[in-house]
Amino acid sequence: MTERIEGHGGELALAALRAYGVREMFTLSGGHVFPLYDAAHKTDFPIYDVRHEQSAVFAAEAVAKLQRRPGLAVLTAGPGVTNGISGLTSAFFNASPVLVLGGRAPQFRWGSGSLQEMDHLPLVAPVTKHAETVFSADDIPRAVAAALTTALTPHRGPVFLDFPLEAVFSVGDAELPAGPQLSPLEADPDEVARAAALVAGAARPVIIAGSDVWTGDAVDELRAAAEALTVPVFTNGMGRGALPPEHPLAFAKARRVALSNADVVVVIGTPLDFRLSFGDFGEAQVVHIVDAPSQRAGHVQPAAAPAGDLRGILTALAEHPGDRVDHDDWVAQLRTAEDAAKARDAEEMAAETDPIRPARIYGELRKVLARDAVTIGDGGDFVSYAGRYLEPAQPGTWLDPGPYGCLGTGMGYAMGARVTHPDRQVCVLMGDGAAGFSLMDVESLARQKLPVVIVVGNNGIWGLEKHPMRAMYGYDVAADLQPELRYDQVVGALGGAGETVAKAADLGPALQRAFDAGVPYLINVLTDPADAYPRSSNLA
Ligand SMILES: Cc1ncc(C[n+]2csc(CCOP(=O)(O)OP(=O)(O)O)c2C)c(N)n1
Ligand SMILES: [Mg+2]
């Protein structure tokens, strides 16, 4: 039995969105999208609003990443949509199922010069899986359902629809969409068998698992495959925490030793991009396991590249019937390297320096973070350190901007994380430069009672640019910020609270106050501008 729905365009859209599991919208007001607000308001569908559209899209992306369901941003016509484009592009690079619904000038007088009359599609098409204008209210549920099916189908990604004014304001009727019905794509069994034989027969195999393992709900299968074949596992992106740090096959620090000695590198659910030296691991053979054929790399020729449902592929790996080489010595060798690197890190994380070095901030943070805390990185060097010193204990708790590397995700990701996990610690690690992109959205967080902790590594510079520029030219320009600026006072003025910390011994108590505050709280840590992240050791 199909159900029919009636109402204005906003109501029809919302009915379809609910059927697909969308549970809130992130937005910044504009008259072109009022019917969507009207529909939400009348049915208690949560609306979170922001001070810049980029934050709405980043918040929607955080929901999509953390909850593995569609996230929704509603943006008004013209500048609302264009301000959201960096967010859409980040979602595209991250394969996040984000839907952006845009307002649009009226179609019936298109070309006459209506306010904000522009065609968004050519702008968003290259950074979405699907972009479409829906010209009638009756057609909105179908279009929403089709767009969300596309967004959720691996390889996932953002989609865009816009509704001309008269379409979204007029009344129509349609069939209620049934909701997502996705059938997993089965990988070619011969390719899977080839991959399994390569891993099982390798002397020194390594797994690198990325975001799609989490998004594709294949974390258990990853662990089973790694355990069955005794393969050490490194992770990146949303894959971090897929194996808990105490797992005997979980590695983070021994990456250089592992990759320079491996004979087979198995990269799962992440592209062979700059983070993974473009898939060039010297003599090692590469097995690239991806969730869709479109994700096979064009620039390298892997020894095997199964494409399809990651759960199925990893289960087949775990159940590989052939011979298995013993990898115990290899694992032990890496464990020695890992332990040595951890001991060095521990020293740095405890160092009593003046000014404070970023490592110490992470040392203190590790003492107060719960295992399920969500940590968010938005910045340059300060966030590279976060990647190095923080060890997510669970998957789905670490949000970095991904390979697009867009500064400004901070407050939007924080909003999405707080909405997703009302009772967990949410902590943003932010460069002082990065803070400039989104700190105004502390107002949105404070007003809507969404407390988060923000730790700013305040070195007074665009560190990740200043140090390399000096190294390259012997001087730098456009790389300085105001030293010791009081970002905590900004947050105080916006309805939150905070403090400045200049001494390492004050970090611990400040963090306690921050997590107890119940409002957005910024700890402005004055860090050493001379400290530069050692890039050459940053392999991923
Ligand atoms: C939107 C955007 N603009 C510019 C850059 C280039 N960029 C990358 S890191 C960085 C410096 C970040 O400085 P800060 O946030 O203060 O962190 P720090 O490196 O000082 O720790 C810049 C400007 C970028 N990645 N994204
Ligand atoms: Mg800085």
Side-chain angles (χ1 to χ4, degrees), residues 432-433 457 459 461-463 481:
D432 52 340
N459 53 5
I461 54 174
W462 299 98
L481 302 163

Side-chain angles (χ1 to χ4, degrees), residues 379-382 405-407 431-434 437 459 461-465 481:
D381 280 355
F382 189 57
C406 187
L407 295 174
D432 52 340
F437 291 88
N459 53 5
I461 54 174
W462 299 98
L464 189 149
E465 306 299 351
L481 302 163

